Amino acid sequence: MNFFRYLSKRLLLAVITIFGVLTIVFILTHILPGNPALVKVGQFADEATIKAMEKEMGLDKPLIVQYGNYLGQVLQGNLGNSWTTGQPVNKDLAQRIPATVELALISLFIAVIIGLPLGIFAAVKGGWIDRLMQGISILGVSTPVFWLGLMLIYIFYYQLNIAPPPTGRLDDLTMPPTNITGLYIIDSLLTGNFATLKAAILQLILPAITLAFVIIAPIAKMSRDSMIKVLQADYIQSARALGVSGNEYVFKDALRNAMIPVLTTLGIVLGYLIAGSVLIEMIFSWPGIGIYVWQALMSNDFNSIQGVVLVIAVSYVFINLVVDILYSIVDPRIRLH
């Protein structure tokens, strides 16, 4: 199968996946208990007021009609209005997605620069490095993320006073940079605003470390296991027997093949970071989509919930698509399946 045929097949599967997610989320949000019209008018409203609000929100129509209307809106790029904020969901998401993406990318960066070398050296060297890696992995998967976040705040903010208060992306005295990408670190660099850059980095350190600690474990473990498997392959054993130096066969031959499953893991953890940062955003008052969807769930705000799920689904599908493409480039045999 050539590359373009492989890519077309993957794109078609991505569209089907997003459509399936949209349908499931729409059905779930509409069959769960709770009346969003009642939430909007208040619990003391009379029956006539509730009925009028249901008609205004389109909830009086049959479910299949509501679904058709919703799909039509989505295809036009319209996610409806949030019943909580009163703004278009598109606008709400545009304001919050950069905060979540910046936190996720910095967390992934920290996890990769620690987890990847740790896993590779654990496989190559063994001994105490391997035991250290396994200890960190066990600690990472067994530590509740909300507990770790609270402990870091308690130690570094309340006790040592070397971290800023957990009050969002910037402290109260710092103005946001000119909006270019929405990522404060990038925008501060592009505009030469180094005071804001410093403040943005300081605010990111604790939530990013908290999230990174959880995903270091799968990255390190997958790197280690994949590297060990490759090092036991016949062609590596032959290279050793022929006297090829350790650095040469590890970094030229083994590392490239060992990275294929690691790429998959990186895609999965990045998707997790974007979708699973609700607790961290709440603990650190981080104004991302995690807090937004939590508030939407509390008020049965269907449009906002569906908008966030759509963004997360598209993120997952896009990340997996990129991983599959990289996979097929690293190992062209994958296109044959």
Side-chain angles (χ1 to χ4, degrees):
M1 187 184 300
N2 64 42
F3 179 76
F4 291 105
R5 191 176 170 192
Y6 175 79
L7 182 60
S8 302
K9 186 178 174 184
R10 296 295 303 141
L11 284 173
L12 178 62
L13 285 173
V15 172
I16 294 172
T17 304
I18 292 172
F19 176 76
V21 170
L22 266 179
T23 304
I24 292 170
V25 173
F26 179 87
I27 294 171
L28 287 178
T29 51
H30 283 73
I31 64 173
L32 287 175
N35 186 347
L38 180 60
V39 174
K40 194 163 184 178
V41 297
Q43 59 178 327
F44 298 110
D46 56 39
E47 190 67 23
T49 305
I50 296 172
K51 291 291 182 187
M53 182 55 68
E54 286 178 347
K55 186 174 183 181
E56 182 183 330
M57 297 166 78
L59 298 174
D60 59 329
K61 297 182 174 63
L63 193 61
I64 187 68
V65 176
Q66 293 183 48
Y67 178 63
N69 291 339
Y70 177 66
L71 277 187
Q73 284 184 355
V74 171
L75 290 175
Q76 296 173 31
N78 178 11
L79 299 178
N81 288 337
S82 167
W83 302 334
T84 307
T85 66
Q87 295 194 114
V89 174
N90 285 346
K91 186 176 179 181
D92 285 342
L93 293 177
Q95 292 171 342
R96 290 166 171 78
I97 286 174
T100 297
V101 170
E102 186 169 51
L103 177 59
L105 291 178
I106 297 299
S107 302
L108 183 65
F109 176 74
I110 294 172
V112 168
I113 62 172
I114 295 174
L116 199 58
L118 188 61
I120 292 171
F121 280 110
V124 175
K125 300 294 184 183
W128 69 270
I129 297 180
D130 192 22
R131 290 192 289 277
L132 173 66
M133 192 285 296
Q134 295 188 44
I136 291 175
S137 296
I138 294 171
L139 205 58
V141 297
S142 58
T143 304
V145 66
F146 67 91
W147 179 85
L148 180 61
L150 291 173
M151 286 299 100
L152 290 179
I153 292 172
Y154 178 74
I155 294 170
F156 293 100
Y157 172 60
Y158 286 107
Q159 293 296 325
L160 301 179
N161 201 24
I162 57 175
T167 54
R169 302 179 75 185
L170 290 173
D171 58 63
D172 294 337
L173 302 177
T174 306
M175 294 293 292
T178 304
N179 188 15
I180 301 173
T181 65
L183 308 180
Y184 282 3
I185 291 180
I186 302 294
D187 291 350
S188 301
L189 283 171
L190 292 176
T191 57
N193 190 344
F194 296 108
T196 301
L197 174 64
K198 180 182 176 184
I201 292 174
L202 288 174
Q203 291 292 132
L204 261 170
I205 288 176
L206 291 189
I209 288 177
T210 306
L211 269 177
F213 188 75
V214 178
I215 60 170
I216 282 174
I219 293 174
K221 192 166 189 326
M222 181 56 72
S223 305
R224 171 188 176 274
D225 294 348
S226 180
M227 198 67 178
I228 287 176
K229 189 175 179 183
V230 172
L231 290 175
Q232 291 173 343
D234 290 341
Y235 68 96
I236 295 293
Q237 298 298 327
S238 300
R240 280 177 168 169
L242 292 171
V244 178
S245 70
N247 286 339
E248 192 170 349
Y249 70 72
V250 168
F251 292 105
K252 280 186 67 177
D253 300 320
L255 190 56
R256 179 177 175 180
N257 290 322
M259 285 301 99
I260 293 176
V262 177
L263 280 175
T264 305
T265 304
L266 292 180
I268 293 171
V269 297
L270 182 56
Y272 163 77
L273 289 174
I274 292 174
S277 58
V278 177
L279 287 175
I280 294 302
E281 291 190 1
M282 294 185 72
I283 291 170
F284 289 93
S285 301
W286 199 259
I289 59 174
I291 286 183
Y292 183 66
V293 75
W294 173 256
Q295 293 169 342
L297 283 167
M298 292 296 100
S299 55
N300 279 343
D301 188 347
F302 292 169
N303 289 336
S304 299
I305 296 170
Q306 289 162 176
V308 171
V309 173
L310 177 62
V311 167
I312 292 171
V314 170
S315 302
Y316 261 108
V317 169
F318 177 74
I319 291 167
N320 279 292
L321 183 63
V322 171
V323 169
D324 284 346
I325 292 171
L326 292 175
Y327 223 96
S328 71
I329 292 173
V330 174
D331 187 355
R333 291 173 300 175
I334 290 169
R335 300 176 208 162
L336 298 174
H337 298 288

